[in-house]
Amino acid sequence: MLYLDRRAYTSGGIPRSAGGTRPAAAVASGLVAPLLTAWAPGRVNLIGEHTDYSGGLVLPAAIQLGVTVTVDALSDAVALTSTKLGPGEPFAPDGGGAPVGGWARYGQAVAAELAGLGRPPLGLTARIDSTVPAGAGLSSSAALEVGIALALCAAAAFELEPLQLALACQRAELRAVGVPCGILDQAACVLGRPDTAILLDCATLEHRQVPVPGEAALLVIDSGVERSLESSGYAQRRQELEHALRLAGTTRSTEVSLPQLEGLDPLSARRLRHVVSENRRVLDFAAAFEERDLAEAGRLLLASHTSLRDDYEVSIPELDLLVELACAAGAHGAQLLGGGFGGSVLALVDTARADEIASGVASRYRERSGRDGRSLTAHASAGASVQR
Ligand code: GAF
């Protein structure tokens, strides 16, 4: 049975000095300790791609890479500086005013969503450091949103339940860059637990933990083809699926069965067939992991990739090649990771063989595509948190 975890982020009171600010230079130089630090991880999704925005099932895990937001001082505005991208344009604590450009628009959108939930309009200055590669399908933008949201909430002693915060960040993604994403990435970020994947029903947000077997390594292999959901066919796929669901008479993909696809136009039938069969594979994969049956889990990953390639049409030749090479090198199975159209594949491999398989795939991929197939082993890790 799935259940809803009702942990709340407690923010406690952060004393605000009489002047309302502390000199950021003094904090950055180490003379004054930061007020607080928020951590928000990226994620892998083991299986269940393009199911979240139709109330389907997903099985993600938070990973060891993420975004750290270090709040140095309270202020009248929100001023964020990225160690990689430099200072972002400051914006009002309630996210109002003229839209800012560049990466800071994620922060402004998060602030606006939190203001709508009643966060007091306190500003801050903060440094942002990310170890999540952008465009690799590891949810760098969700980690950024959740990290900023946690920092803004904690700095204003404003409490939200983790999934409420995740939903605010999902809306912020749409507000900031117009991507109508589902809840997968932000939920994984707040719900992560060490050595654990999260089986999540995206319609009810009920979830339960699924242990990742110690002998299973989650190898993420980057195609080197950078993906941006803004410029991909992501929004179009969502529209196509919603059209197909309307024809089937529902908004929830878990309420559709395969025989109902008969009689739909071919495109609608293909899109819906992927999602309906993927929901089933998520449950079967969770059962296979619980039985430590990596061969079966790998078979499901391959079936998932085939469905994403042929029925949902979100793969590209480089991702198909990586899946083929990973399996030839000894992976139990592999599938594209996240939205597709670029980014990475996730290969399920024996822990003892992870390095050997990664280097074998990288050299064959270079020969066949002329690109580097950089890889990392993702470890299922703790979700977002705040430290003072
Ligand atoms: C991206 C989106 F942001 C998610 O909501 C999800 O739809 C995923 O693609 C595909 O499963 O990561």
Side-chain angles (χ1 to χ4, degrees):
M1 196 54 195
L2 299 176
Y3 68 93
L4 183 62
D5 185 339
R6 304 191 78 78
R7 261 184 315 162
Y9 289 118
T10 49
S11 36
I14 294 176
R16 208 174 175 212
S17 65
T21 60
R22 306 176 334 150
V27 182
S29 68
L31 294 173
V32 182
L35 289 176
L36 63 94
T37 303
W39 161 255
R43 64 98 189 94
V44 288
N45 189 22
L46 276 65
I47 197 163
E49 297 298 10
H50 288 275
T51 51
D52 59 348
Y53 48 81
S54 63
L57 305 177
V58 294
L59 188 66
I63 60 171
Q64 72 275 23
L65 305 177
V67 170
T68 305
V69 181
T70 306
V71 178
D72 290 330
L74 300 181
S75 169
D76 293 334
V78 180
L80 307 172
T81 299
S82 154
T83 43
K84 281 196 193 122
L85 304 171
E89 233 182 287
F91 51 86
D94 67 355
V100 299
W103 64 270
R105 66 199 152 146
Y106 287 100
Q108 186 181 32
V110 166
E113 291 298 334
L114 295 178
L117 295 173
R119 190 190 83 92
L122 293 183
L124 49 79
T125 58
R127 289 166 280 146
I128 296 184
D129 194 20
S130 177
T131 53
V132 192
L138 295 170
S139 288
S140 56
S141 62
L144 179 65
E145 291 149 11
V146 171
I148 294 172
L150 270 184
L152 286 170
C153 286
F158 180 67
E159 294 186 13
L160 281 181
E161 286 188 359
L163 283 169
Q164 258 186 300
L165 185 133
L167 286 164
C169 290
Q170 179 199 6
R171 293 192 298 272
E173 176 100 17
L174 181 64
R175 184 190 279 262
V177 289
V179 174
C181 66
I183 190 63
L184 165 67
D185 303 349
Q186 293 82 2
C189 182
V190 301
L191 295 176
R193 296 280 172 93
D195 306 318
T196 302
I198 310 292
L199 175 57
L200 173 71
D201 180 325
C202 297
T204 62
L205 298 184
E206 288 179 310
H207 54 278
R208 73 171 171 83
Q209 298 171 23
V210 176
V212 176
E215 59 273 27
L218 308 174
L219 194 61
V220 175
I221 314 169
D222 190 346
S223 66
V225 180
E226 195 168 329
R227 172 215 73 170
S228 145
L229 288 183
E230 285 168 83
S231 55
S232 74
Y234 185 89
Q236 187 190 342
R237 287 296 175 281
R238 183 168 178 158
Q239 276 172 14
E240 290 164 351
L241 183 66
E242 284 168 355
H243 175 71
L245 284 166
R246 270 195 300 279
L247 296 177
T250 181
T251 53
R252 273 177 76 169
S253 56
T254 48
E255 290 173 350
V256 182
S257 59
L258 289 174
Q260 281 175 265
L261 308 185
E262 282 165 28
L264 295 188
D265 63 89
L267 184 75
S268 298
R270 283 209 309 280
R271 300 295 188 252
L272 204 43
R273 186 167 56 207
H274 163 67
V275 175
V276 172
S277 61
E278 184 81 347
N279 283 332
R280 179 71 250 164
R281 283 188 290 271
V282 172
L283 293 174
D284 291 346
F285 187 102
F289 249 32
E290 281 163 342
E291 287 158 21
R292 305 178 97 93
D293 185 347
L294 301 194
E296 173 63 4
R299 190 194 66 73
L300 290 161
L301 284 185
L302 265 182
S304 178
H305 184 77
T306 304
S307 177
L308 286 159
R309 184 192 64 202
D310 298 344
D311 278 348
Y312 221 66
E313 297 179 278
V314 291
S315 191
I316 57 170
E318 289 84 350
L319 294 174
D320 298 339
L321 177 60
L322 282 176
V323 167
E324 178 197 322
L325 295 176
C327 292
H332 294 287
Q335 72 159 121
L336 69 83
L337 177 58
F341 301 107
S344 304
V345 302
L346 178 74
L348 179 64
V349 305
D350 290 330
T351 305
R353 295 194 59 204
D355 291 346
E356 166 209 335
I357 292 175
S359 68
V361 172
S363 65
R364 295 287 291 129
Y365 185 62
R366 202 171 302 113
E367 281 165 27
R368 300 264 302 264
S369 73
R371 294 175 181 273
D372 287 335
R374 273 176 303 189
S375 64
L376 63 95
T377 300
H379 300 288
S381 302
S385 61
V386 174
Q387 281 190 338
R388 295 164 191 288

PDB file of all heavy atoms in Angstrom, residues 43 49-50 52-53 181-182 184-185 229 234 338-339, ligand 1:
ATOM      1  N   ARG A  43      18.108  13.779  -9.513  1.00  0.00           N
ATOM      2  CA  ARG A  43      17.470  12.464  -9.405  1.00  0.00           C
ATOM      3  C   ARG A  43      17.765  11.595 -10.622  1.00  0.00           C
ATOM      4  O   ARG A  43      18.099  12.098 -11.693  1.00  0.00           O
ATOM      5  CB  ARG A  43      15.950  12.592  -9.228  1.00  0.00           C
ATOM      6  CG  ARG A  43      15.210  13.231 -10.418  1.00  0.00           C
ATOM      7  CD  ARG A  43      14.578  12.223 -11.351  1.00  0.00           C
ATOM      8  NE  ARG A  43      14.069  12.821 -12.576  1.00  0.00           N
ATOM      9  CZ  ARG A  43      14.738  12.906 -13.705  1.00  0.00           C
ATOM     10  NH1 ARG A  43      15.978  12.475 -13.791  1.00  0.00           N
ATOM     11  NH2 ARG A  43      14.195  13.456 -14.788  1.00  0.00           N
ATOM     12  N   GLU A  49       8.825   6.682 -17.360  1.00  0.00           N
ATOM     13  CA  GLU A  49       9.078   7.969 -18.029  1.00  0.00           C
ATOM     14  C   GLU A  49       7.826   8.418 -18.784  1.00  0.00           C
ATOM     15  O   GLU A  49       7.125   7.621 -19.401  1.00  0.00           O
ATOM     16  CB  GLU A  49      10.250   7.865 -19.002  1.00  0.00           C
ATOM     17  CG  GLU A  49      11.585   7.540 -18.358  1.00  0.00           C
ATOM     18  CD  GLU A  49      12.103   8.573 -17.360  1.00  0.00           C
ATOM     19  OE1 GLU A  49      11.365   9.505 -16.982  1.00  0.00           O
ATOM     20  OE2 GLU A  49      13.270   8.419 -16.943  1.00  0.00           O
ATOM     21  N   HIS A  50       7.579   9.717 -18.711  1.00  0.00           N
ATOM     22  CA  HIS A  50       6.423  10.352 -19.354  1.00  0.00           C
ATOM     23  C   HIS A  50       5.094   9.794 -18.831  1.00  0.00           C
ATOM     24  O   HIS A  50       4.104   9.766 -19.570  1.00  0.00           O
ATOM     25  CB  HIS A  50       6.512  10.239 -20.888  1.00  0.00           C
ATOM     26  CG  HIS A  50       7.568  11.143 -21.461  1.00  0.00           C
ATOM     27  ND1 HIS A  50       7.327  12.465 -21.760  1.00  0.00           N
ATOM     28  CD2 HIS A  50       8.870  10.923 -21.745  1.00  0.00           C
ATOM     29  CE1 HIS A  50       8.443  13.021 -22.228  1.00  0.00           C
ATOM     30  NE2 HIS A  50       9.398  12.102 -22.226  1.00  0.00           N
ATOM     31  N   ASP A  52       4.220  10.800 -15.461  1.00  0.00           N
ATOM     32  CA  ASP A  52       3.840  11.630 -14.301  1.00  0.00           C
ATOM     33  C   ASP A  52       2.723  12.613 -14.618  1.00  0.00           C
ATOM     34  O   ASP A  52       1.822  12.828 -13.810  1.00  0.00           O
ATOM     35  CB  ASP A  52       5.064  12.331 -13.681  1.00  0.00           C
ATOM     36  CG  ASP A  52       5.824  13.256 -14.616  1.00  0.00           C
ATOM     37  OD1 ASP A  52       5.581  13.218 -15.854  1.00  0.00           O
ATOM     38  OD2 ASP A  52       6.671  14.028 -14.121  1.00  0.00           O
ATOM     39  N   TYR A  53       2.738  13.208 -15.823  1.00  0.00           N
ATOM     40  CA  TYR A  53       1.746  14.262 -16.097  1.00  0.00           C
ATOM     41  C   TYR A  53       0.389  13.707 -16.522  1.00  0.00           C
ATOM     42  O   TYR A  53      -0.510  14.480 -16.867  1.00  0.00           O
ATOM     43  CB  TYR A  53       2.293  15.283 -17.114  1.00  0.00           C
ATOM     44  CG  TYR A  53       2.925  14.700 -18.357  1.00  0.00           C
ATOM     45  CD1 TYR A  53       2.145  14.268 -19.416  1.00  0.00           C
ATOM     46  CD2 TYR A  53       4.306  14.606 -18.469  1.00  0.00           C
ATOM     47  CE1 TYR A  53       2.721  13.747 -20.561  1.00  0.00           C
ATOM     48  CE2 TYR A  53       4.902  14.079 -19.606  1.00  0.00           C
ATOM     49  CZ  TYR A  53       4.099  13.656 -20.646  1.00  0.00           C
ATOM     50  OH  TYR A  53       4.684  13.133 -21.786  1.00  0.00           O
ATOM     51  N   CYS A 181       5.926  20.467 -16.963  1.00  0.00           N
ATOM     52  CA  CYS A 181       6.442  19.187 -16.475  1.00  0.00           C
ATOM     53  C   CYS A 181       5.477  18.573 -15.464  1.00  0.00           C
ATOM     54  O   CYS A 181       4.583  19.248 -14.944  1.00  0.00           O
ATOM     55  CB  CYS A 181       7.815  19.385 -15.837  1.00  0.00           C
ATOM     56  SG  CYS A 181       7.789  20.380 -14.343  1.00  0.00           S
ATOM     57  N   GLY A 182       5.681  17.305 -15.182  1.00  0.00           N
ATOM     58  CA  GLY A 182       4.932  16.640 -14.126  1.00  0.00           C
ATOM     59  C   GLY A 182       5.649  16.843 -12.794  1.00  0.00           C
ATOM     60  O   GLY A 182       6.550  17.676 -12.675  1.00  0.00           O
ATOM     61  N   LEU A 184       7.391  14.476 -11.135  1.00  0.00           N
ATOM     62  CA  LEU A 184       8.461  13.494 -10.910  1.00  0.00           C
ATOM     63  C   LEU A 184       9.716  14.092 -10.270  1.00  0.00           C
ATOM     64  O   LEU A 184      10.177  13.648  -9.223  1.00  0.00           O
ATOM     65  CB  LEU A 184       8.825  12.845 -12.255  1.00  0.00           C
ATOM     66  CG  LEU A 184      10.136  12.071 -12.325  1.00  0.00           C
ATOM     67  CD1 LEU A 184      10.076  10.835 -11.463  1.00  0.00           C
ATOM     68  CD2 LEU A 184      10.440  11.674 -13.766  1.00  0.00           C
ATOM     69  N   ASP A 185      10.295  15.108 -10.921  1.00  0.00           N
ATOM     70  CA  ASP A 185      11.626  15.572 -10.526  1.00  0.00           C
ATOM     71  C   ASP A 185      11.609  16.224  -9.148  1.00  0.00           C
ATOM     72  O   ASP A 185      12.451  15.948  -8.293  1.00  0.00           O
ATOM     73  CB  ASP A 185      12.161  16.578 -11.560  1.00  0.00           C
ATOM     74  CG  ASP A 185      12.213  15.983 -12.954  1.00  0.00           C
ATOM     75  OD1 ASP A 185      12.045  14.757 -13.081  1.00  0.00           O
ATOM     76  OD2 ASP A 185      12.416  16.746 -13.913  1.00  0.00           O
ATOM     77  N   LEU A 229      14.266  20.818 -22.174  1.00  0.00           N
ATOM     78  CA  LEU A 229      12.835  20.520 -22.298  1.00  0.00           C
ATOM     79  C   LEU A 229      12.093  21.661 -22.980  1.00  0.00           C
ATOM     80  O   LEU A 229      11.085  21.462 -23.631  1.00  0.00           O
ATOM     81  CB  LEU A 229      12.225  20.256 -20.924  1.00  0.00           C
ATOM     82  CG  LEU A 229      12.599  18.930 -20.262  1.00  0.00           C
ATOM     83  CD1 LEU A 229      11.855  18.772 -18.953  1.00  0.00           C
ATOM     84  CD2 LEU A 229      12.295  17.748 -21.162  1.00  0.00           C
ATOM     85  N   TYR A 234       8.672  18.048 -25.721  1.00  0.00           N
ATOM     86  CA  TYR A 234       8.033  17.622 -24.467  1.00  0.00           C
ATOM     87  C   TYR A 234       6.589  18.116 -24.363  1.00  0.00           C
ATOM     88  O   TYR A 234       5.676  17.338 -24.094  1.00  0.00           O
ATOM     89  CB  TYR A 234       8.867  18.140 -23.289  1.00  0.00           C
ATOM     90  CG  TYR A 234       8.380  17.681 -21.934  1.00  0.00           C
ATOM     91  CD1 TYR A 234       8.832  16.490 -21.371  1.00  0.00           C
ATOM     92  CD2 TYR A 234       7.450  18.430 -21.216  1.00  0.00           C
ATOM     93  CE1 TYR A 234       8.381  16.063 -20.135  1.00  0.00           C
ATOM     94  CE2 TYR A 234       6.992  18.009 -19.982  1.00  0.00           C
ATOM     95  CZ  TYR A 234       7.466  16.829 -19.447  1.00  0.00           C
ATOM     96  OH  TYR A 234       7.005  16.412 -18.218  1.00  0.00           O
ATOM     97  N   GLY A 338      14.689  10.314 -18.060  1.00  0.00           N
ATOM     98  CA  GLY A 338      14.008  11.609 -18.034  1.00  0.00           C
ATOM     99  C   GLY A 338      13.192  11.837 -19.293  1.00  0.00           C
ATOM    100  O   GLY A 338      12.597  10.913 -19.856  1.00  0.00           O
ATOM    101  N   GLY A 339      13.197  13.074 -19.774  1.00  0.00           N
ATOM    102  CA  GLY A 339      12.325  13.451 -20.878  1.00  0.00           C
ATOM    103  C   GLY A 339      12.755  12.935 -22.241  1.00  0.00           C
ATOM    104  O   GLY A 339      11.958  12.881 -23.173  1.00  0.00           O
TER     105      GLY A 339
HETATM  106  C1  GAF B   1      11.187  15.558 -17.375  1.00  0.00           C
HETATM  107  C2  GAF B   1      10.008  16.210 -16.663  1.00  0.00           C
HETATM  108  F1  GAF B   1      10.412  17.316 -15.976  1.00  0.00           F
HETATM  109  C3  GAF B   1       9.308  15.224 -15.735  1.00  0.00           C
HETATM  110  O1  GAF B   1       8.169  15.811 -15.166  1.00  0.00           O
HETATM  111  C4  GAF B   1       8.943  13.936 -16.471  1.00  0.00           C
HETATM  112  O2  GAF B   1       7.821  14.117 -17.296  1.00  0.00           O
HETATM  113  C5  GAF B   1      10.148  13.407 -17.267  1.00  0.00           C
HETATM  114  O3  GAF B   1      10.722  14.407 -18.085  1.00  0.00           O
HETATM  115  C6  GAF B   1       9.775  12.221 -18.137  1.00  0.00           C
HETATM  116  O4  GAF B   1       9.426  11.139 -17.335  1.00  0.00           O
HETATM  117  O5  GAF B   1      12.187  15.201 -16.462  1.00  0.00           O
END
